[in-house]
Amino acid sequence: MLTQRQLFLQHNAQTTLDPLLLAFNRAKGMYLYDADGKKYMDLIAGIGVSNVGHCHPAVVNAVQQQAESYMHIMVYGEFVQNPQVNFAAALAAVLPENLNCTYFVNSGAEAVEGAMKLAKRYTQRSEIIACHNSYHGSTQGALSLMGNEEFKQAYRPLLPDIKFINYNRIEDLDQITTRTAAVFIETVQGEAGIRVADPSYFEALRKKCTATGTLLVLDEIQCGFGRTGKMFGFEHFGIVPDILLLAKGIGGGMPIGAFISSREIMISLATNPILGHITTFGGHPVSCAAGLATLQTIITENIVEGVTAKAELFKKLLVHPAIKEVRGKGLMIAIAFENFELNKKIIDACIADGLISDWFLHCSNAMRIAPPLIISEEEIKWACAVILKNADALV
């Protein structure tokens, strides 16, 4: 009889020729457990997804209750479905006044796609600006905004009228003009290896977009829902976007994404033509129920309040001759080593020791730290000890 790993390699589409092939049969809190019962600490939260931990009881309960009531009953936007309505209202309650209208989709890439259409439809312009070393997803439109040619060249031609600027370079903002529909930018650049812009840059970006009638689209698919030490990353910079993109951590482990704007902007998708953006499974009732439970858990358990102190503890402990830099915002951290080869060896050794991490698409010499936000001080100390032990052994 074929093993699960053999079946995986034969019948599951592969994204690389060298997958990790770890096999797990359950997850809880900070940990994943394999078939032999070995425990692994998840230091990357499924790439920024499980902000409240794996299988949080409140999320599991919400999923179970909604699944017993109803699951899919209609394509998005026609029926009044309580999970969608309640989650959208709860998001509006914690966001600035102009971000009061949510369109739910299935993933971050779909949120990007919807926002691109919305920006073009509302402004009646075609040019979109993104940043070098950006990552916004892998669908055709989202890939067009990716600022790394290595990942794009095999799939050209992509969307036209896309322009790239340098993140955190104020002089590049002059490229934003009255023909620019939108600027898509990560509030904190993720796959670039956790890059944080100066507040003055975001202030200048907001002013330039306002002056030219350009929509500012902030991609918080990785950095939203408390990961940076505030509920939303833009709160660090004193600005508000015209469109906000969310996914990953907002569903507590269930698949969901969202693009959020004002009703004035969003309503443009409803006319000329009608059904300007449609999705069958977007806003799935079970995912929306999970999302609401996730948001309520973050608020009621005061999870965001502890993020900054936890991040500082990581930075305090991660001191080693092999570590060139530790940078980040909240629990969105990169540990930079000399090169990819050393980074990969340390990551592999950590995994063997029961600590899961990885690297970044556009910054392969850095190790990713993005654990569930519930990580404890003791767990941080253990994780750092494992990283330092393997750095000692491999340098």
Side-chain angles (χ1 to χ4, degrees), residues 248-300:
K248 289 189 178 290
I250 74 170
M254 291 294 289
I256 188 169
F259 57 104
I260 305 173
S261 190
S262 65
R263 178 167 173 78
E264 174 197 352
I265 293 173
M266 195 72 79
I267 200 68
S268 61
L269 290 175
T271 61
N272 299 316
I274 64 167
L275 303 175
H277 192 67
I278 52 178
T279 170
T280 297
F281 291 114
H284 192 281
V286 177
S287 292
C288 284
L292 178 58
T294 299
L295 178 58
Q296 291 173 336
T297 296
I298 289 173
I299 293 170
T300 58

Side-chain angles (χ1 to χ4, degrees), residues 194-269:
I194 315 301
R195 309 291 176 172
V196 184
D198 300 323
S200 59
Y201 173 78
F202 275 113
E203 291 170 9
L205 173 61
R206 176 67 274 181
K207 288 178 181 178
K208 186 68 172 181
C209 287
T210 301
T212 57
T214 300
L215 298 183
L216 175 57
V217 183
L218 291 185
D219 181 339
E220 299 216 354
I221 290 165
Q222 283 200 53
C223 71
F225 259 45
R227 181 147 298 280
T228 65
K230 292 187 180 292
M231 184 65 79
F232 303 101
F234 63 79
E235 295 178 275
H236 292 284
F237 301 103
I239 63 164
V240 177
D242 300 297
I243 303 174
L244 178 67
L245 309 181
L246 298 174
K248 289 189 178 290
I250 74 170
M254 291 294 289
I256 188 169
F259 57 104
I260 305 173
S261 190
S262 65
R263 178 167 173 78
E264 174 197 352
I265 293 173
M266 195 72 79
I267 200 68
S268 61
L269 290 175

